[in-house]
Amino acid sequence: MSRLLPPAFGVLCIVALLCLLQLAIQAGIVDVYIVPLPTDMLASLPRLVEEEHVIRRFGVTFGETLSAGLLALVVGVALGMALQHWPRMRRAFEPWFALLAAAPLVMAYPLFLVLFGRSSLTIIVIAFASALAPVVLKTIEGFATIRPVLIDVGHSLRMTRAQEFRLILLPAALPEIFVGLRLALIFALINVVGVEFLINLGGLGQLISELSERYDLPGTWASIGLVVIVSILFFLLLDGGERWLRKRH
Amino acid sequence: MKRISWAAVLLAVVMAPLAQAETLKIAVGQRGNWDTAIPELGQRAGIFKKYDLDLDILYTSGGGETQQAVLSRSVDIGTAAGSLGALGAASKGAPIRIISAEMTGAPELYWYVPANSPIKSVADLAGKTVGYSTTGSSTNTVIMMARAQYKVDFNPIATGGLPATFTQAMSGQIDVGWASAPFGVDALNDGKIRVIIRGRDIDAARNQTVRVNIVHAGVLAAKRPAIERFMQAYRETLEWMYSSPDAIPSFVAFSGISKETATKVRDEYFPKSTLMPDQMVGLDSLMQDGVTFKFLAAPLTEAQVKDVIQIKK
């Protein structure tokens, strides 16, 4: 019960903030033609489901982000481990990954369009490219900061290299890798929605663009809320995944 | 004598702010277009100054952003906002007022193919993909009108803004791209692309005001004299842009395109009659389009139209 209290308190605070916003709009403190009433946003959801196929769009955005995240996980962890294993390569490439993390890759979408076509693949590749750097950097950091004493314990127990990796190195590096993954999913989601918005293709980003053009403010804000829900879902998935992996190790 | 000169200084200090031109903040959709350059060119030519106005111009990426800037009262006037968007916002009760037409017809729009495309004319478009920007935009309505006029069953597809569409068209991801002059005019001159459909050839589009100039109702009430002076200066600038030899060099300096392209853009893509601000036409068909594209739940009533459209000639 006590475990549920903090998240419940968090949800209550959000609800309270929305109630305050509702009151502020009704009192005319916030202009209803700039921010719609939260109750209007909620009321627009059935219409979005029926007329704008929002469930399918939600699935598209979720799927694209998940694909980019999984790709970043597989490629990023492998690259991070390889760079950590070969220090010269690490010195050569780590700064480039740091630069990649800061690069606004979304601006290069015309190039990706030419390379991968007008499809979800373009969106996934841009999101993957943006999500890769944090996974690589955090994987390097995770393995680089393992306490030597843990490795010494492995040696004293005459562990094989595979055992050492599975029982000592990976569990010790996992928290940092998950930090990288969280960042990666944030980058991926931002890029997925941004590119959908820019090239008018796919899921929630395209919907937000169309609804805002139509001045459907409740619909626009409700769709933005759905993007937040996608983000929350990924965090819940990651939390669950991390807990499961830690229990196994 | 000394007392009189001190009084004169004091009077000058007090009166100085009154003598300054009034500042109006203007949101302009799409920097660099001939039609949206009216405030900029008028300001450069000193025409707005003549009407005691100093324009503080900011550029937006299009009608939706301009409308938001107006509704949030971040700016006093928004130019080149989409008519459908403005009517849609008004139908939802937003305090938006249309003070003039900005563009009637769509002569600046054209649809193109890469020079090596097998598509030679509209007749070749059956089954092909043809781009437009976003659902409900003027490019969307005009291409639907073109499909009806030419009776060719092509597939309109939302391709986003000008550069993204150009990339998709030139790399063969779509068959036909859309553009709005001056974008792509250099590529046309160089023979890299060919025009397949011109907005000016679409009969139904010719009689529809597709973009308007808008203000917030509160701003109109508070600054009506200044806004009326703005429209006077706007009309005078428009005359100047088509009669003065200084207009093209000024546009070249502003937009960065060549003199030849700028002249071609003005003379071929923006006939003066399409920019006349004093009448909003094709309201019935506009409202039908508004309903079709979900901008409007139903056409506006006569009373609503009277309230929203406040064009003073």
Side-chain angles (χ1 to χ4, degrees):
Chain A
M1 183 64 186
S2 61
R3 210 160 55 90
L4 290 175
L5 269 177
F9 180 69
V11 171
L12 269 177
C13 284
I14 299 289
V15 172
L17 274 176
L18 287 174
C19 290
L20 273 178
L21 180 62
Q22 176 94 9
L23 289 173
I25 295 168
Q26 282 173 337
I29 299 166
V30 177
D31 191 337
V32 73
Y33 296 110
I34 298 169
V35 183
L37 289 166
T39 46
D40 285 349
M41 294 179 212
L42 268 179
S44 73
L45 280 174
R47 178 169 54 81
L48 293 183
V49 170
E50 196 179 324
E51 295 175 14
E52 309 295 344
H53 316 291
V54 81
I55 293 173
R56 182 186 60 76
R57 289 174 186 270
F58 186 92
V60 169
T61 298
F62 187 87
E64 286 168 349
T65 311
L66 184 66
S67 308
L70 284 176
L71 267 174
L73 170 69
V74 173
V75 178
V77 170
L79 265 175
M81 283 167 56
L83 292 179
Q84 170 60 21
H85 189 73
W86 288 293
R88 280 188 183 168
M89 296 294 274
R90 179 182 167 180
R91 283 199 295 277
F93 290 110
E94 194 177 1
W96 289 105
F97 278 104
L99 285 175
L100 182 68
L105 283 176
V106 70
M107 304 309 283
Y109 73 91
L111 172 69
F112 287 88
L113 270 176
V114 172
L115 293 175
F116 300 100
R118 194 186 144 71
S119 67
S120 278
L121 183 62
T122 295
I123 297 172
I124 292 169
V125 172
I126 295 176
F128 159 70
S130 310
L132 182 64
V135 181
V136 172
L137 294 172
K138 283 294 170 185
T139 301
I140 293 172
E141 197 179 318
F143 284 102
T145 53
I146 294 171
R147 283 184 296 154
V149 67
L150 293 176
I151 298 165
D152 291 343
V153 170
H155 289 166
S156 67
L157 293 172
R158 294 176 189 278
M159 283 181 176
T160 62
R161 293 199 73 158
Q163 281 174 324
E164 186 182 294
F165 176 77
R166 191 167 57 82
L167 297 172
I168 295 176
L169 300 181
L170 186 61
L174 265 183
E176 284 299 326
I177 293 174
F178 269 90
V179 170
L181 254 181
R182 281 193 183 87
L183 289 171
L185 282 169
I186 292 169
F187 285 16
L189 182 59
I190 290 170
N191 280 275
V192 162
V193 177
V195 179
E196 284 178 346
F197 188 96
L198 278 171
I199 66 171
N200 228 313
L201 178 78
L204 294 171
Q206 185 192 24
L207 182 63
I208 291 167
S209 158
E210 289 191 6
L211 292 174
S212 64
E213 281 291 326
R214 276 187 241 154
Y215 194 68
D216 182 348
L217 284 186
T220 306
W221 283 72
S223 306
I224 294 169
L226 289 174
V227 174
V228 175
I229 290 176
V230 174
S231 172
I232 291 169
L233 277 181
F234 277 117
F235 270 81
L236 291 176
L237 268 177
L238 273 182
D239 262 2
E242 188 175 5
R243 267 204 300 274
W244 178 76
L245 270 174
R246 279 189 174 182
K247 271 185 194 161
R248 275 178 63 98
H249 293 285
Chain B
M1 185 66 189
K2 204 172 182 181
R3 196 175 291 168
I4 290 171
S5 45
W6 272 112
V9 169
L10 192 65
L11 192 68
V13 169
V14 171
M15 295 299 284
L18 299 177
Q20 275 177 1
E22 185 171 356
T23 300
L24 283 179
K25 286 186 182 172
I26 317 288
V28 179
Q30 299 278 6
R31 187 184 197 278
N33 285 356
W34 174 256
D35 61 320
T36 61
I38 295 171
E40 181 76 41
L41 299 190
Q43 172 111 312
R44 287 177 185 223
I47 296 170
F48 285 91
K49 206 75 169 177
K50 259 172 46 184
Y51 290 86
D52 281 334
L53 291 173
D54 187 14
L55 304 187
D56 181 3
I57 301 170
L58 70 92
Y59 290 93
T60 69
S61 67
E65 254 179 56
T66 302
Q67 196 166 286
Q68 274 298 332
V70 167
L71 285 172
S72 63
R73 298 179 80 155
S74 312
V75 297
D76 298 311
I77 298 173
T79 69
S83 303
L84 283 184
L87 292 173
S91 75
K92 292 172 181 97
I96 197 167
R97 299 291 178 263
I98 293 170
I99 53 166
S100 80
E102 198 268 350
M103 182 84 187
T104 297
E108 86 286 16
L109 293 181
Y110 65 94
W111 278 260
Y112 61 90
V113 292
N116 60 359
S117 166
I119 297 168
K120 302 292 177 203
S121 70
V122 183
D124 300 327
L125 290 182
K128 305 290 185 196
T129 50
V130 179
Y132 63 87
S133 60
T134 54
T135 306
S137 61
S138 56
T139 58
N140 189 184
T141 46
V142 174
I143 202 61
M144 298 307 280
M145 289 168 178
R147 195 165 71 160
Q149 178 172 320
Y150 295 121
K151 298 184 173 59
V152 179
D153 194 20
F154 53 76
N155 179 24
I157 180 168
T159 52
L162 290 159
T165 301
F166 193 75
T167 303
Q168 291 168 69
M170 298 309 277
S171 58
Q173 291 161 40
I174 53 163
D175 296 307
V176 184
W178 75 273
S180 164
F183 186 92
V185 173
D186 284 336
L188 270 172
N189 289 344
D190 296 344
K192 290 177 186 163
I193 57 175
R194 285 184 285 112
V195 174
I196 298 296
I197 300 173
R198 282 187 190 276
R200 69 177 182 214
D201 296 334
I202 310 303
D203 300 332
R206 217 174 288 143
N207 298 315
Q208 206 179 69
T209 298
V210 293
R211 289 193 292 274
V212 289
N213 295 330
I214 54 174
V215 295
H216 189 288
V219 171
L220 185 60
K223 299 186 177 181
R224 189 179 282 275
I227 286 167
E228 285 176 1
R229 291 206 307 279
F230 172 85
M231 282 314 304
Q232 286 171 343
Y234 187 94
R235 287 185 196 94
E236 190 175 325
T237 304
L238 193 55
E239 291 299 327
W240 176 85
M241 284 165 71
Y242 284 86
S243 59
S244 168
D246 298 332
I248 290 292
S250 180
F251 183 59
V252 166
F254 164 58
S255 65
I257 60 176
S258 67
K259 191 178 172 190
E260 293 69 33
T261 304
T263 309
K264 189 172 181 173
V265 164
R266 182 186 68 177
D267 298 341
E268 285 187 25
Y269 292 90
F270 290 93
K272 188 175 155 194
S273 59
T274 61
L275 300 183
M276 299 314 280
D278 293 333
Q279 200 182 1
M280 190 166 173
V281 299
L283 207 53
D284 290 341
S285 64
L286 257 175
M287 289 203 276
Q288 277 308 320
D289 289 340
V291 173
T292 306
F293 294 118
K294 300 180 189 169
F295 282 76
L296 298 168
L300 299 186
T301 62
E302 211 170 299
Q304 280 177 307
V305 169
K306 207 175 162 191
D307 193 33
V308 173
I309 302 175
Q310 301 205 4
I311 298 175
K312 273 204 159 189
K313 292 178 190 172

